[in-house]
Amino acid sequence: GPERKLYLRELIARYSHNLALNWNLGEENTQSYDEQNAMSEYILNMDPYDHNIVTHSFPSQQEQVYRALLGHQSVLTGTSLQNPWHKVHQQTLRWVEASKAAGKPWVVANDEQNPAQLGVPPDPGYKGFSGWADETKPEDKYNVHDIRKYTLWGNLMAGGAGVEYYFGYRLPQNDLLAEDFRSRDLSWTYCGYAINFFHDQDIPFWRMRNRNELVGNAGNENTRFCLGREDEVYVVYLLEGGTTKIDLREAKGTYSVSWYNPRTGGKLLNGSVKSVKGGKKVSLGKPPAHPDEDWVVLIKK
């Protein structure tokens, strides 16, 4: 109707010059298929900068909503996922692969971390906060380090576009009342370290795809992830440290092996193995230090 068109036109006029902008059809959107298509097509025709157009859904309705919009069934260019914090990798990968199979790969971001009452917790020590989302329930005893591992890197290593952090409605500085974004300072810092890694090391992530099977994780469990471009570069993320082997039987030549600390950022470091050769399964060796913490391994030709 005219009111919605006026509203969208005003939004586009005021904000479309901003970079990295998403037009999201609605939080937990319940429009009909026809309404979603009409709204997204209006945005596409009105926006001079061709920003990403996405929609957001309840976790239980993703199959119903997103499946009908894949490929050329809509002009959507991405999706905004709401999922439990520890299922981000699996759900991101699901829609990255489904959209690719439909002929139009989507930009897939994780934009709300459940449970809804908790979301991303404040930093440990912020105004006396313990650091744990909820200490009374074992399934909800997680902190910003778990968000870094399972949410941020879980999305990126699935070929996702990153995260928008949601603060829950029960914790300090929650989603309805937040005034102090420094309450999640560590979470922003860890995002910066992740961005720096991909940019500083010239990782061609836009040409890479998830290859978990190469590190023995064909079931996409929360153990170790792999993002790769055949015969060129591979990134391995070890959520709980340790080491792994990688199957390089598809690759030729020699590859350097370097380690990156996602907790502190900085330069690449050497582990116990500095180079490997393609044509076989090879061990990546041990990390430079703290073998029980998460590490990123860069294998580059």
Side-chain angles (χ1 to χ4, degrees):
E3 292 86 358
R4 184 178 293 268
K5 288 181 178 179
L6 178 62
Y7 173 66
L8 292 174
R9 187 180 180 117
E10 187 77 9
L11 284 176
I12 292 167
R14 289 185 181 216
Y15 300 115
S16 62
H17 66 281
N18 284 300
L19 302 177
L21 184 70
N22 288 322
W23 296 123
N24 197 322
L25 301 190
E27 159 75 2
E28 296 173 349
N29 183 279
T30 56
Q31 290 175 298
S32 70
Y33 171 77
D34 289 339
E35 288 169 335
Q36 289 170 331
N37 268 333
M39 185 173 171
S40 56
E41 288 176 2
Y42 183 84
I43 293 171
L44 176 66
N45 292 330
M46 189 63 60
D47 176 17
Y49 300 106
D50 294 328
H51 286 293
N52 191 27
I53 304 174
V54 306
T55 192
H56 184 272
S57 171
F58 292 100
S60 61
Q61 296 180 7
Q62 288 181 4
E63 183 67 27
Q64 170 191 342
V65 173
Y66 296 151
R67 189 69 62 180
L69 298 167
L70 288 171
H72 299 290
Q73 299 177 102
S74 76
V75 298
L76 289 186
T77 53
T79 190
S80 166
L81 296 181
Q82 174 184 179
N83 292 114
W85 62 272
H86 59 287
K87 294 186 178 180
V88 170
H89 182 77
Q90 295 79 11
Q91 293 302 317
T92 300
L93 185 57
R94 173 188 178 190
W95 293 108
V96 165
E97 292 184 339
S99 61
K100 181 180 179 181
K104 189 171 75 173
W106 274 355
V107 176
V108 181
N110 175 256
D111 298 340
E112 185 170 345
Q113 299 78 33
N114 290 162
Q117 71 272 22
L118 301 175
V120 175
D123 294 351
Y126 174 79
K127 294 189 175 181
F129 184 71
S130 70
W132 298 105
D134 187 342
E135 293 188 83
T136 65
K137 296 180 180 179
E139 67 271 21
D140 291 336
K141 191 174 182 180
Y142 65 92
N143 57 27
V144 295
H145 303 295
D146 295 310
I147 294 295
R148 178 187 69 244
K149 297 174 186 179
Y150 298 91
T151 302
L152 173 62
W153 282 93
N155 175 272
L156 297 176
M157 295 299 292
V163 298
E164 293 176 12
Y165 282 146
Y166 162 79
F167 292 176
Y169 59 77
R170 204 182 76 192
L171 298 179
Q173 297 295 320
N174 60 60
D175 74 319
L176 299 179
L177 303 174
E179 295 286 348
D180 187 0
F181 278 75
R182 289 171 295 183
S183 62
R184 272 75 174 179
D185 182 71
L186 272 176
S187 290
W188 313 133
T189 298
Y190 294 144
C191 286
Y193 293 155
I195 291 171
N196 290 344
F197 169 74
F198 284 97
H199 286 188
D200 294 349
Q201 304 307 322
D202 295 323
I203 309 296
F205 54 86
W206 59 94
R207 297 202 306 266
M208 300 167 73
R209 61 189 177 100
N210 179 267
R211 299 300 307 276
N212 286 343
E213 74 279 4
L214 296 182
V215 290
N217 186 19
N220 305 317
E221 302 295 331
N222 286 331
T223 55
R224 50 197 180 276
F225 305 143
C226 179
L227 193 68
R229 179 168 173 81
E230 294 80 354
D231 206 26
E232 181 180 342
V233 60
Y234 303 86
V235 175
V236 174
Y237 183 70
L238 304 174
L239 283 82
E240 302 297 338
T243 187
T244 189
K245 290 185 177 181
I246 184 170
D247 187 346
L248 292 181
R249 286 179 292 181
E250 67 182 14
K252 300 175 182 177
T254 302
Y255 293 76
S256 63
V257 178
S258 305
W259 296 71
Y260 181 77
N261 189 331
R263 306 174 304 283
T264 62
K267 298 180 179 180
L268 296 180
L269 303 171
N270 288 325
S272 62
V273 172
K274 296 181 180 180
S275 66
V276 293
K277 290 186 177 181
K280 57 184 178 181
K281 291 183 179 181
V282 296
S283 172
L284 298 178
K286 298 178 181 179
H290 309 294
D292 296 329
E293 298 285 356
D294 56 324
W295 283 95
V296 183
V297 193
L298 175 61
I299 303 100
K300 201 170 185 179
K301 198 165 190 178

